[in-house]
Amino acid sequence: MQRVIATPKPAGAVQAMLLMLAAVLPVMGTLTMIPVMPVLFNHFGAHPHAQLLVPMIITVPSISMALIAPLAGVIGDRFSRRRLLIAATGGYALFGLLPVMLDSLPLILLARMIMGIADAFILTTANALIGDYFSGSARNRWLAIQSGVGSIVATLIILASGFLGTFGWTGPIYLYAIAIPLFLGLILFTREPVARGEENAAVSTPAQAFPRGQMCLISFITLVSAVIYFIEPLQISQVFSQLGMRNSSQIGIATAIAGIGVPLGAWLYGRMAKQRIDKQLMQFYAIFGAGLLFISLASNHISAVMAAFIAQIGNGMLIPLMLGWVMKVLPAEHRAKGMGIWHTFFFLGMFLSPVGVTSMTSVTGKLQDTLLIFAVMTLLIAVCLALSSSRTAVRKITAN
């Protein structure tokens, strides 16, 4: 078994940017197809199971990631994380672009499923390598930057997807070609962290146990947070459509404008990174809950975009918040395994989020009424966290 330490040969901005961009690829796999959902339904509407299978074009990669991420993490702790990342990025490019040559819905779903497997290896190894290359405040800084850069890239992708969607449902798929230059950059400019546990290892430290209890708590909070986190990005295009916005390009532009809130949220995380985790989570739930509340009450395009912008500020805080927490808890030799478990629950939340929204909407009869219910639930969680945090502070003062 190859074990790594958290302080490898010095890495800099080039390595960090490559790893951050690699971590964006799986999210891009979902976002790319959202603006063309109406086009997909039009193209595959004759398929007998179109209502079930067409939405799965978006969700199938997340299912693959949720199922494979723990295995990817275990493999990442045993073998070269860098080589796994490079191979997965190449596979992502290949199977991401493959649907351009397909017109069979089941075959497209199969290609998307395999791309999701590549996504699982990309996420676990890329984030583990960020944890290996950097530590402490430098790691928190890069995680915040990752969220900001990721949001900017995602905004550009949504804009491009909306534009390319005007040429047909296959237009946005060509964006997956971005993985090709990234694949080459990873080969040329990254390296595996220094190995230990071998005869010529320069550093020898006792192995640390995997933090099962802490990871159980983190996994539960991740699942709940992910279900809430994905409500806005997965449902906002439908809200825009129901408010009268029909063109995929317009939906893409509106979604991209709202996405500007994500780098602001990442900046806010950087300001609060040293706070207790309960305070950080409370701020996420409060800001996102407020945004979701305003989305549920929006009556026109402008108010919906402004509300989505607020929700995206909260979303910009969550990813670096959770990744920073996970990396702080995990020993270096278990980092890929732990990241695999974290991504399983995160993308399980991505899969469950639209299921929950759809089930609730079948009862309420209107998407915005469903979002109102989720907004109230989110704000109640924020209130509970605020009360818990206050009690903790009072106990500390009393003890002193």
Side-chain angles (χ1 to χ4, degrees):
M1 174 178 176
Q2 186 184 52
R3 294 158 59 192
V4 299
I5 61 174
T7 54
K9 296 177 182 179
V14 173
Q15 289 75 28
M17 291 301 295
L18 284 169
L19 294 174
M20 288 188 293
L21 290 173
V24 171
L25 292 178
V27 179
M28 184 182 82
T30 298
L31 294 178
T32 299
M33 305 306 293
I34 289 177
V36 294
M37 279 298 291
V39 183
L40 288 169
F41 274 112
N42 288 336
H43 184 81
F44 293 107
H47 193 282
H49 303 293
Q51 292 298 317
L52 172 65
L53 297 180
V54 169
M56 290 181 68
I57 292 176
I58 293 177
T59 59
V60 156
S62 67
I63 299 171
S64 295
M65 283 187 278
L67 294 175
I68 300 298
L71 175 62
V74 171
I75 294 173
D77 282 332
R78 291 180 177 272
F79 301 101
S80 167
R81 292 173 183 171
R82 173 182 173 271
R83 292 175 183 173
L84 286 171
L85 176 59
I86 291 170
T89 304
Y92 176 97
L94 175 62
F95 288 97
L97 291 167
L98 187 60
V100 170
M101 297 178 285
L102 303 174
D103 199 44
S104 166
L105 192 51
L107 289 178
I108 290 170
L109 290 173
L110 178 60
R112 298 278 292 173
M113 182 185 71
I114 298 173
M115 187 187 77
I117 295 173
D119 286 339
F121 281 92
I122 290 172
L123 281 171
T124 53
T125 53
N127 284 313
L129 284 170
I130 290 175
D132 292 338
Y133 283 140
F134 306 99
S135 61
S137 60
R139 179 190 296 163
N140 288 334
R141 182 175 67 252
W142 282 118
L143 288 174
I145 294 172
Q146 176 183 355
S147 182
V149 169
S151 70
I152 294 171
V153 174
T155 298
L156 295 174
I157 287 168
I158 291 172
L159 284 171
S161 297
F163 172 73
L164 292 173
T166 61
F167 298 99
W169 73 270
T170 59
I173 293 177
Y174 288 99
L175 290 173
Y176 296 133
I178 293 172
I180 297 173
L182 188 56
F183 170 78
L184 298 175
L186 290 169
I187 292 174
L188 295 174
F189 299 110
T190 62
R191 57 188 170 273
E192 186 73 15
V194 176
R196 64 177 173 139
E198 300 174 353
E199 291 183 1
N200 60 347
V203 180
S204 179
T205 58
Q208 299 182 54
F210 184 79
R212 290 186 178 86
Q214 289 173 296
M215 281 305 300
C216 284
L217 174 62
I218 290 173
S219 297
F220 174 75
I221 293 175
T222 296
L223 179 61
V224 174
S225 300
V227 169
I228 294 170
Y229 172 93
F230 281 107
I231 290 175
E232 192 277 340
L234 293 181
Q235 305 299 330
I236 194 61
S237 62
Q238 293 188 57
V239 173
F240 290 150
S241 178
Q242 291 174 10
L243 291 176
M245 193 180 294
R246 304 299 183 200
N247 186 277
S248 65
S249 181
Q250 291 178 336
I251 292 174
I253 292 171
T255 305
I257 292 172
I260 297 172
V262 175
L264 179 56
W267 178 82
L268 288 175
Y269 164 76
R271 308 290 291 181
M272 68 178 193
K274 294 183 180 180
Q275 295 180 3
R276 292 200 318 269
I277 189 65
D278 58 336
K279 287 187 176 182
Q280 296 179 35
L281 286 168
M282 182 271 292
Q283 292 174 71
F284 157 69
Y285 282 107
I287 294 174
F288 184 87
L292 196 59
L293 177 64
F294 295 143
I295 291 172
S296 70
L297 301 175
S299 58
N300 56 64
H301 304 155
I302 296 175
S303 59
V305 171
M306 292 176 63
F309 171 80
I310 296 172
Q312 287 287 54
I313 293 175
N315 277 358
M317 298 165 61
L318 182 66
I319 299 298
L321 183 163
M322 294 301 302
L323 288 176
W325 187 16
V326 174
M327 290 184 184
K328 186 183 296 184
V329 165
L330 291 170
E333 58 263 41
H334 298 298
R335 189 163 287 139
K337 176 183 177 182
M339 292 307 304
I341 293 172
W342 183 82
H343 282 108
T344 288
F345 284 90
F346 185 73
F347 285 100
L348 180 60
M350 179 182 180
F351 173 72
L352 293 176
S353 182
V355 173
V357 170
T358 301
S359 300
M360 187 75 71
T361 304
S362 67
V363 177
T364 63
K366 187 178 178 182
L367 176 59
Q368 283 183 286
D369 290 343
T370 297
L371 299 184
L372 177 60
I373 294 172
F374 277 100
V376 172
M377 292 169 57
T378 303
L379 291 171
L380 285 175
I381 294 174
V383 170
C384 291
L385 286 169
L387 292 174
S388 175
S389 179
S390 298
R391 290 195 189 99
T392 301
V394 169
R395 281 197 296 267
K396 286 186 176 180
I397 293 172
T398 304
N400 291 333

